[in-house]
């Protein structure tokens, strides 16, 4: 049968592809506030810990100096300006794939420019997706933990309750995922907007503690800080990157809000408020003692401390929610692009098809996040594990962006190389600075990313070997059609739909049906489901029908990689193409393959067995394609790989 991993995702078939992401009918203000809540939740919680960790790393064993404060603030400001504003806002957001963003969208866009499949581009995309998953488990842990640690400022005796309370919040967060986030998302924007305004307001208030902090906006302080003491400043650079983690969300959530609201939210609200808060923290330390333990909370007046701890906790939960939702979306795209096995996808909203819940992904994330909190206990310890995955993901984005600039935008080579090399220098600087933290916890994100790479690589490699092996044993479809026309077996009423991934070969379900039942239906449809390199496919391009003869017809359904395949709904379109599809007189024949390891295989035995394990855990094809179970006939086959 068509290995239904070649599929896609959700969209209303009545919606043309070029309109599915059209935000013009929605209020710009609503989209702006929504973008603040979803897109900037992660980067918005960075002030809680980023400046503190960078200052500690840069100071090393000596007391914090004025020069350290100026240098770290300068590095943070220029990192936000160069990486987020210049790289992502000016360049990356323009590389949309029919309105969609994200590393897999960029990979699909880059691969579409090559006549052959562009396996190396697929490899880069797999690496980027794996790094994203490595980041997705650390963000909820470090964000919520850092917010709850604010209780220690109010009452140091509450320290033993930090980890238990963090675990309660995280368990509750993962537990409510199955109910959907639509209603909660309505308040995400306003809460996060209040959070950013509070960040900017308290920061602006404390800037006047020591106005000399404004000198740190001059790039010379960042450069001299790095050059003067490379050993300690290099460690500080790795911690400074915590201030820009979440920048990749600008691109990943492009399809949800559109470019204009995301850019406007950054330039008008998020960027100014972040800069004001970092400047305020720096001025507070300069005027209140440079050995301050937690400047973010300590610079708050007493009356605002508890409200800000509550607001910070809400903001970090929102940031964690955005990352979890992003992980669901990334996993769904990976399934559609045949990079992962079929996974169960549940829709949590009848109106918004983009709201999904993936039980297996949710459980895996929850277990790993809980283990991280228990194992590291402090946000400072977890901060060391943060950064490697994000910087690696940014290097992948820059590499794929070069292909888009050169092959799609048709820029001259020199014009492509100039920004690419500049971005790569920044990315590699932060990546190398974070690599030194491997023994302090960075091994976690590296290990997680490597695990996901292994899973994806095994699935892609095993699927290709399986396809080649099954194709050798299959009979050409043209031959079967000709034989059935010359010497037809017993004809029974109704329509039989046979799913196959290879439209040129006779489906194994058809061959077994003829072998065992020795009958042929009045109408036989050879159905292939393809995944487009675009996020969505319009109803006009959804189905293609061709007639072999009066008994056999070939139908090809195409879904975008952001769509959930619904075969009965898509086949209804075929009525306009001449086929009177009626679900009540149609039976779907699906092959259920039992895979066994071969004595001699192109893959190592361990990878053979691992691929078989992944195949067995794949979701049921009937549910995945949303075919009514009462209309399905499953025929078992056994194959070695």
């Amino acid at each position: 049968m068509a290995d239904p991993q070649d599929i896609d995702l959700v969209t209303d078939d009545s919606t043309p592809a070029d309109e599915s992401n059209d935000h013009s009918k929605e209020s710009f203000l609503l989209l702006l506030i929504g973008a603040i809540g979803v897109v900037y939740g992660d980067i918005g919680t960075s002030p809680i810990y980023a400046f503190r960790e960078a200052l500690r790393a840069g100071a090393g064993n000596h007391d914090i100096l004025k020069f350290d404060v100026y240098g770290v603030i300068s590095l943070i400001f220029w990192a936000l300006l160069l990486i987020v504003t210049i790289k992502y806002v000016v360049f990356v957001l323009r590389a949309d794939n029919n309105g969609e963003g994200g590393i897999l969208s960029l990979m699909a866009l880059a691969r579409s420019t090559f006549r052959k499949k562009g396996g190396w581009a697929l490899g880069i995309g797999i690496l980027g997706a794996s790094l994203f998953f490595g980041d997705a488990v650390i963000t909820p842990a470090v964000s919520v933990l850092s917010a709850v640690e604010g209780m220690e400022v109010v009452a140091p005796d509450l320290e033993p309750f930090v980890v238990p309370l963090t675990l309660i919040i995280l368990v509750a967060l993962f537990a409510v995922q199955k109910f959907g986030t639509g209603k909660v998302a309505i308040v995400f924007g306003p809460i996060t907007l209040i959070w950013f305004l509070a960040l900017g307001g308290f920061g602006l208030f404390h800037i006047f503690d020591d106005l000399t902090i404004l000198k740190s906006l001059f790039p010379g302080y960042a450069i001299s800080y790095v050059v003067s003491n490379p050993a300690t400043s290099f460690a500080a650079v790795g911690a400074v990157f915590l201030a820009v983690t979440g920048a990749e969300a600008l691109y990943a959530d492009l399809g949800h809000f559109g470019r204009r609201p995301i850019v406007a939210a950054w330039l008008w609200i998020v960027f100014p408020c972040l800069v004001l808060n970092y400047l305020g923290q720096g001025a507070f330390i300069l005027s209140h003692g440079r050995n301050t333990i937690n400047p973010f909370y300590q610079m708050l007046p007493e009356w605002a401390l508890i409200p800000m701890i509550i607001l910070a906790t809400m903001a970090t939960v929102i940031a964690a929610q955005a990352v979890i939702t992003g992980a669901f979306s990334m996993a769904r795209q990976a399934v559609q692009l045949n990079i992962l096995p079929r996974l169960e996808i549940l829709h949590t909203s009848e109106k918004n098809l983009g709201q999904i819940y993936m039980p297996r992904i949710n459980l895996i994330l929850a277990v790993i996040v809980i283990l991280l909190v228990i194992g590291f206990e402090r946000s400072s310890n977890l901060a060391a594990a943060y950064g490697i995955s994000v910087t690696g993901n940014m290097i992948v984005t820059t590499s794929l962006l070069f292909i888009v600039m050169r092959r799609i935008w048709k820029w001259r080579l020199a014009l492509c190389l100039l920004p690419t090399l500049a971005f790569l220098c920044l990315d590699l600087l932060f990546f190398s600075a974070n690599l030194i933290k491997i023994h302090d916890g960075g091994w976690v994100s590296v290990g997680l990313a490597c695990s996901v790479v292994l899973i994806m690589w095994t699935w892609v490699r095993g699927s290709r070997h399986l396809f080649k092996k099954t194709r050798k044993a299959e009979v050409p479809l043209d031959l079967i059609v000709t034989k059935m026309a010359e010497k037809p077996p017993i004809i029974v009423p109704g329509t039989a739909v046979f799913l196959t991934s290879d439209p040129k070969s006779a489906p194994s379900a058809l061959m077994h049906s003829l072998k065992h039942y020795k009958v042929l239906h009045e109408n036989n449809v050879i159905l292939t489901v393809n995944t487009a390199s675009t996020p969505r496919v319009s109803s006009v391009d959804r189905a293609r029908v061709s007639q072999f003869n009066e008994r056999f017809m070939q139908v090809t359904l195409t879904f975008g990689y952001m769509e959930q395949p619904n075969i009965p709904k898509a086949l209804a379109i075929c009525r306009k193409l001449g086929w009177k599809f009626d679900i009540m007189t149609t039976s779907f024949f699906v092959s259920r393959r039992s895979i066994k390891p071969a004595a001699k295989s192109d893959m190592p035995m361990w990878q053979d067995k691992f691929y078989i394990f992944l195949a067995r855990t794949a979701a049921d094809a009937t549910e995945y394609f949303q075919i009514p179970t009462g209309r399905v006939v499953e025929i078992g086959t056994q194959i070695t790989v």
Side-chain angles (χ1 to χ4, degrees), residues 544-616:
R544 190 171 69 250
V545 176
S546 59
Q547 193 83 35
F548 283 107
N549 54 36
E550 62 177 0
R551 296 275 181 239
F552 283 90
M553 176 190 303
Q554 193 161 47
V555 175
T556 301
L557 300 179
T558 304
F559 295 88
Y561 61 81
M562 285 291 291
E563 298 180 282
Q564 179 66 42
N566 185 320
I567 285 181
K569 186 176 180 180
L571 288 179
I573 299 175
C574 295
R575 293 169 184 160
K576 300 177 182 178
L577 303 176
W579 174 30
K580 305 302 181 183
F581 171 72
D582 182 5
I583 188 69
M584 299 308 297
T585 60
T586 301
S587 297
F588 293 85
F589 286 78
V590 178
S591 295
R592 181 175 288 276
R593 295 185 298 196
S594 175
I595 307 174
K596 304 291 183 182
K600 292 183 179 180
S601 174
D602 295 331
M603 297 192 300
M605 181 58 70
W606 67 266
Q607 197 169 34
D608 247 356
K609 292 182 177 180
F610 189 36
Y611 173 74
I612 293 171
F613 168 76
L614 293 175
R616 287 174 179 170

Side-chain angles (χ1 to χ4, degrees), residues 349-598:
S349 171
E350 295 181 0
K351 297 180 180 179
N352 189 347
L353 293 174
Q355 291 182 21
I356 60 171
Y357 168 63
M358 303 182 73
R360 196 177 304 174
I361 297 297
N362 190 64
L363 178 61
I364 293 172
L365 289 178
V367 170
I368 296 176
V369 168
I370 289 170
L371 290 176
L372 286 175
V373 172
I374 295 173
F376 285 85
E377 295 184 337
R378 306 291 300 177
S379 63
S380 296
N381 299 332
L382 261 174
Y386 214 16
I388 296 179
S389 292
V390 184
T391 50
N393 189 287
M394 288 184 174
I395 292 173
V396 170
T397 299
T398 301
S399 304
L400 293 173
L401 181 64
F402 173 78
I403 301 174
V404 172
M405 288 190 293
R406 181 69 176 146
R407 300 179 68 91
I408 295 182
W409 297 349
K410 304 297 183 183
W411 288 7
R412 293 181 181 179
L413 182 60
L415 193 58
C416 296
L417 286 174
L418 186 62
T420 301
L421 292 177
F423 297 149
L424 276 178
C425 286
L426 282 171
D427 295 339
L428 290 172
L429 172 65
F430 284 112
F431 182 71
S432 56
N434 278 280
L435 279 179
I436 64 176
K437 301 189 295 184
I438 284 203
H439 67 284
D440 293 324
W443 56 269
V444 172
S445 58
V446 173
L448 289 170
C450 289
S451 299
V452 178
V453 166
L454 179 62
I455 292 171
M456 291 182 171
W457 173 52
T458 298
W459 184 253
V460 170
R461 189 181 184 190
S463 298
R464 288 178 177 176
H465 284 307
L466 186 63
F467 179 78
K468 290 178 182 178
K469 184 164 286 190
T470 54
R471 191 168 188 178
K472 290 179 182 178
E474 288 177 346
V475 180
L477 180 60
D478 291 342
L479 178 62
I480 293 297
V481 171
T482 303
K483 291 291 184 182
M484 292 300 100
E486 294 174 353
K487 191 177 179 182
I490 299 173
I491 305 299
V492 295
T495 299
V497 176
F498 299 92
L499 275 72
T500 178
S501 58
D502 183 8
K504 295 182 179 180
S505 301
S508 56
L510 171 62
M511 299 303 294
H512 283 277
S513 177
L514 291 171
K515 178 181 177 181
H516 296 290
Y517 304 134
K518 296 179 174 56
V519 296
L520 190 68
H521 284 74
E522 282 181 316
N523 301 297
N524 299 274
V525 178
I526 310 302
L527 176 63
T528 304
V529 180
N530 292 332
T531 301
S533 61
T534 55
R536 294 174 178 82
V537 173
S538 67
S539 58
V540 176
D541 300 320
R542 176 75 68 207
R544 190 171 69 250
V545 176
S546 59
Q547 193 83 35
F548 283 107
N549 54 36
E550 62 177 0
R551 296 275 181 239
F552 283 90
M553 176 190 303
Q554 193 161 47
V555 175
T556 301
L557 300 179
T558 304
F559 295 88
Y561 61 81
M562 285 291 291
E563 298 180 282
Q564 179 66 42
N566 185 320
I567 285 181
K569 186 176 180 180
L571 288 179
I573 299 175
C574 295
R575 293 169 184 160
K576 300 177 182 178
L577 303 176
W579 174 30
K580 305 302 181 183
F581 171 72
D582 182 5
I583 188 69
M584 299 308 297
T585 60
T586 301
S587 297
F588 293 85
F589 286 78
V590 178
S591 295
R592 181 175 288 276
R593 295 185 298 196
S594 175
I595 307 174
K596 304 291 183 182

Side-chain angles (χ1 to χ4, degrees), residues 213-236:
I213 193 64
L214 295 176
K215 295 192 297 184
S216 61
L217 299 180
F218 180 64
Y221 280 95
I223 297 171
S224 60
Y225 180 70
V226 172
V227 173
S228 62
N229 195 345
T232 56
S233 63
F234 198 59

Side-chain angles (χ1 to χ4, degrees), residues 98-176:
N98 286 349
E100 289 292 339
I103 195 69
L104 289 181
S105 287
L106 190 60
M107 181 270 288
L109 189 63
R111 287 189 80 199
S112 67
T113 64
F114 296 92
R115 291 184 179 179
K116 295 184 178 181
K117 287 295 183 181
W120 63 272
L122 175 63
I124 293 177
I126 287 176
L127 178 60
S130 302
L131 291 167
F132 175 86
F133 284 116
D135 171 43
V137 293
I138 298 177
T139 297
V142 70
S143 298
V144 177
L145 193 54
S146 63
V148 177
E149 284 172 351
M151 294 192 311
E152 300 173 6
V153 179
V154 180
D157 294 339
L158 295 176
E159 181 180 350
F161 299 97
V162 169
V163 171
L165 182 57
T166 300
L167 292 176
I168 291 172
I169 293 172
L170 288 171
V171 169
L173 176 64
F174 283 104
V176 300

